[in-house]
């Protein structure tokens, strides 16, 4: 497949913001300062980037004849979710990992892609978004039980899945909707949304609580619009080769970086009272190690394929 520079950039920025977010969580005091609060308000954009780019790439490379590959991917996400949770000393029911959601979003998407029912996926996505609004209204009126379950990162199918499905739909309708996101009006709307984003993050139908923010309907719409806009904006970008190669290496190792840094930061380094520079050096080593492991795994796969042909 050809490289998609816009997807590379989205994945690169998403993992960098996510790692920075987790570094701050390890370093921060109990009370967030103003700058940390402002930074955290933009974190949903990197979560959107993770999921939207993953959905798009799944549709981009989908092959019915490789059904087993997707089943293996789903199983891998579940296994990694369990391992990350255990090694990070978290509880399954309250894990901070979104990998279980990746597994379930992939499984649901596989059902629609295999049958080539993209319009049905759009309808399903609309139903989920409608349920999201219902849950918000119930929560605003003191009925929290459903939203308490749906707000937990691991559990299906929460609002994160909407971003994954959006990526799939974007792939199939990218030419039809391109004109909406490539004019000056869209540019100014995105600028306004980015300025207002911290306020959208903080306030919805009810005031933001931890891990409820991904359910705020306006935040979901704003994040999706911003994500699609930059998908088209970065589509034709020309990066210097050395920079693009660095972005590609990190983007390709995204899953490795996510899993390894999460386990080490939350399972081992949290509580060690490291300063910013010590933690930064540790994270750089983790990223380089993740890239090396990813390249080694790719080498083993290529070698096994060559042996299979001989």
């Amino acid at each position: 497949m050809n490289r998609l520079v816009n997807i590379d950039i989205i994945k690169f920025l998403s993992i960098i913001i996510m790692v920075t977010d987790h570094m701050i969580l390890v370093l921060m005091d109990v009370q967030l300062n103003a700058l940390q609060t402002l930074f955290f308000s933009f974190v949903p954009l990197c979560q959107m980037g993770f999921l939207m780019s993953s959905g798009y790439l799944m549709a981009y490379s989908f092959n019915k004849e490789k059904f087993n590959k997707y089943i293996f991917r789903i199983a891998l996400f579940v296994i990694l979710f369990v391992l990350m949770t255990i090694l990070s000393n978290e509880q399954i029911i309250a894990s901070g990992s979104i990998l279980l959601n990746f597994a379930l979003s992939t499984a649901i998407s596989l059902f629609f892609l295999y049958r080539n029912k993209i319009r049905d996926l759009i309808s399903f996505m609309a139903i989920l978004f409608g349920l999201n609004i219902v849950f918000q209204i119930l929560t605003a009126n003191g009925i929290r039980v459903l939203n308490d379950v749906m707000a937990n990162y691991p559990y299906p199918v929460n609002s994160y899945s909407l971003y994954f499905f959006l990526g799939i739909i974007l792939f199939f309708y990218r030419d039809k909707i391109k004109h909406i996101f490539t004019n000056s009006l869209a540019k100014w709307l995105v600028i306004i949304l980015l300025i207002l984003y911290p306020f959208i993050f903080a306030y919805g139908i009810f005031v933001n609580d931890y891990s409820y923010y991904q359910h705020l309907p306006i935040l979901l719409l704003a994040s999706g619009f911003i994500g699609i806009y930059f998908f088209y904006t970065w589509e034709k970008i020309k990066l210097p080769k050395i920079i693009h190669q660095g972005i590609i290496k990190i983007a390709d190792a995204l899953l490795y970086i996510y899993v390894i840094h999460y386990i080490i930061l939350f399972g081992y380094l949290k509580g060690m009272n490291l300063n910013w520079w010590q933690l930064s050096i540790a994270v750089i080593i983790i990223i380089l190690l993740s890239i090396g492991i990813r390249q080694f795994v790719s080498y083993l796969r290529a070698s096994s394929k060559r042996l299979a042909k001989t």
Side-chain angles (χ1 to χ4, degrees), residues 106-166:
T106 301
I108 293 169
S109 301
L110 183 60
F111 172 78
F112 290 102
L113 285 169
Y114 191 83
R115 298 167 61 244
N116 196 27
K117 297 289 186 179
I118 306 307
R119 290 187 179 180
D120 288 351
L121 177 59
I122 295 173
S123 299
F124 180 70
M125 185 177 173
I127 292 171
L128 282 182
F129 186 73
L131 287 173
N132 174 269
I133 295 174
V134 171
F135 291 154
Q136 294 292 302
I137 294 172
L138 290 175
T139 301
N141 286 277
I143 305 172
R144 300 169 63 99
V145 61
L146 290 174
N147 214 19
D148 282 344
V149 174
M150 296 290 285
N152 286 319
Y153 287 105
Y155 288 91
V157 170
N158 65 20
S159 301
Y160 281 171
S161 300
L162 294 172
Y163 296 136
F164 195 98
F165 302 149
L166 178 64

Side-chain angles (χ1 to χ4, degrees), residues 185-196:
L185 179 61
K187 175 183 176 181
W188 284 107
L189 181 56
V190 166
I191 291 173
I192 293 170
L193 287 174
L194 287 172
I195 293 171
L196 296 177

Side-chain angles (χ1 to χ4, degrees), residues 171-274:
F171 172 77
F172 286 97
Y173 290 90
R174 62 193 181 282
D175 294 329
K176 293 182 180 179
I177 66 172
K178 186 173 184 177
H179 66 281
I180 299 174
F181 294 90
T182 53
N183 55 50
S184 58
L185 179 61
K187 175 183 176 181
W188 284 107
L189 181 56
V190 166
I191 291 173
I192 293 170
L193 287 174
L194 287 172
I195 293 171
L196 296 177
Y197 202 82
F199 302 98
I200 298 172
F201 170 85
Y203 297 101
I205 293 176
F206 64 94
V207 176
N208 173 47
D209 289 324
Y210 176 74
S211 89
Y212 281 163
Y213 61 80
Q214 65 263 36
H215 295 289
L216 298 177
I218 298 176
L219 185 73
L220 292 169
L221 292 173
S223 301
F225 192 93
I226 292 169
I228 297 174
Y229 172 80
F230 283 109
F231 170 85
Y232 288 112
T233 300
W234 293 330
E235 194 173 31
K236 302 297 182 183
I237 195 170
K238 299 295 182 183
L239 295 172
K241 186 176 181 180
I242 188 171
I243 294 177
H244 193 195
Q245 287 299 316
I247 288 174
I248 287 173
K249 289 185 182 299
I250 291 177
D252 285 346
L254 186 148
L255 181 60
Y256 296 84
I257 294 170
Y258 178 73
V259 171
I260 295 172
H261 100 278
Y262 191 98
I263 292 171
I264 294 177
L265 259 62
F266 293 110
Y268 299 95
L269 299 185
K270 190 174 183 180
M272 291 183 63
N273 297 319
L274 298 178

Side-chain angles (χ1 to χ4, degrees), residues 4 7 52-60 167-168 171 174 231:
L4 301 174
I7 296 295
M52 190 184 78
S53 59
S54 296
Y56 188 93
L57 288 174
M58 182 176 178
Y60 177 69
I168 292 174
F171 172 77
R174 62 193 181 282
F231 170 85

